[in-house]
Amino acid sequence: MKSVTLKELSQELTYRTPKELRDLCLRLARFKKENKELLTYLLFESGDELAYVQSVKKELDEEFEQINRASYYFIRKSVRKILKNTRKYIRYSHNKQTEVELLLHFCARLRSLSPPIDRNASLINLYNRQIDTIIKKVSALHEDLQHDYSIELAGLPAKYQEQTRR
């Protein structure tokens, strides 16, 4: 089955009654967990972005506490999963400030992880990529926010250098 364009979907939705739209939304929410989460964000949390950011940060903290620290292999897998969830929450919001806040929190938690990430090249690279992303996103924000976030960013090391043990 070939899906239609967003424009065609938008036009078709204008012809539907409010009851039909509600039924379509509920049916869509039943199919995928992400659809349900997005609908939850749009209906309940989009009005208070600050509370949304705080709840996501709390969830990230809980996920970081549950990381299996037995080996760097398990740490890497867990950190990638946490980053995937973080990006999903950022996608729901579409707010650049929220994106910077969540990525800064992610990097701060990753930096404070024990055992330290500076002993693993892939974790260092992941951290460095996120710092690059934050720097890029901060440059697109308002000057006052740029200043505030640059202060926060200064608290994190700009780049980790891979340490070779020979």
Side-chain angles (χ1 to χ4, degrees):
M1 179 173 138
K2 185 178 177 188
S3 60
V4 296
T5 65
L6 283 175
K7 182 180 179 185
E8 292 172 321
L9 285 173
S10 177
Q11 287 175 346
E12 183 61 32
L13 289 173
T14 59
Y15 303 126
R16 302 293 176 135
T17 67
K19 183 186 179 329
E20 289 175 323
L21 290 175
R22 189 188 76 223
D23 292 342
L24 286 172
C25 284
L26 291 175
R27 186 167 180 203
L28 194 61
R30 271 188 239 132
F31 273 101
K32 243 185 167 185
K33 182 181 175 190
E34 269 191 30
N35 291 344
K36 193 173 187 178
E37 289 173 348
L38 176 59
L39 202 52
T40 301
Y41 168 77
L42 292 172
L43 293 175
F44 300 108
E45 297 173 349
S46 63
D48 189 5
E49 196 70 24
L50 186 62
Y52 174 69
V53 169
Q54 293 304 320
S55 68
V56 171
K57 283 182 179 180
K58 184 178 175 187
E59 188 173 324
L60 292 178
D61 289 340
E62 290 170 4
E63 289 178 6
F64 268 103
E65 294 301 318
Q66 295 173 357
I67 289 178
N68 182 352
R69 293 173 168 82
S71 72
Y72 278 107
Y73 172 77
F74 293 121
I75 294 172
R76 244 186 352 260
K77 285 181 68 79
S78 299
V79 167
R80 280 196 216 115
K81 180 181 176 190
I82 294 169
L83 182 59
K84 180 179 150 193
N85 287 338
T86 304
R87 287 185 180 141
K88 177 178 65 173
Y89 294 131
I90 289 168
R91 220 175 41 242
Y92 292 161
S93 175
H94 278 294
N95 186 332
K96 299 292 183 198
Q97 188 176 351
T98 300
E99 181 173 8
V100 171
E101 287 264 342
L102 293 179
L103 288 177
L104 275 170
H105 187 72
F106 173 82
C107 287
R109 286 306 307 255
L110 184 59
R111 169 110 166 70
S112 66
L113 198 61
S114 176
I117 66 169
D118 59 354
R119 296 184 188 149
N120 188 276
S122 61
L123 287 174
I124 291 170
N125 291 336
L126 185 137
Y127 177 82
N128 289 340
R129 280 192 308 273
Q130 296 315 307
I131 292 293
D132 289 342
T133 302
I134 292 170
I135 291 170
K136 206 178 295 181
K137 298 296 180 180
V138 165
S139 67
L141 293 174
H142 187 270
E143 290 177 14
D144 292 339
L145 292 174
Q146 284 182 16
H147 181 266
D148 294 342
Y149 287 127
S150 64
I151 292 172
E152 269 190 68
L153 200 54
L156 296 173
K159 293 281 187 172
Y160 264 119
Q161 299 299 322
E162 183 179 346
Q163 295 179 356
T164 55
R165 292 182 284 162
R166 291 182 186 177

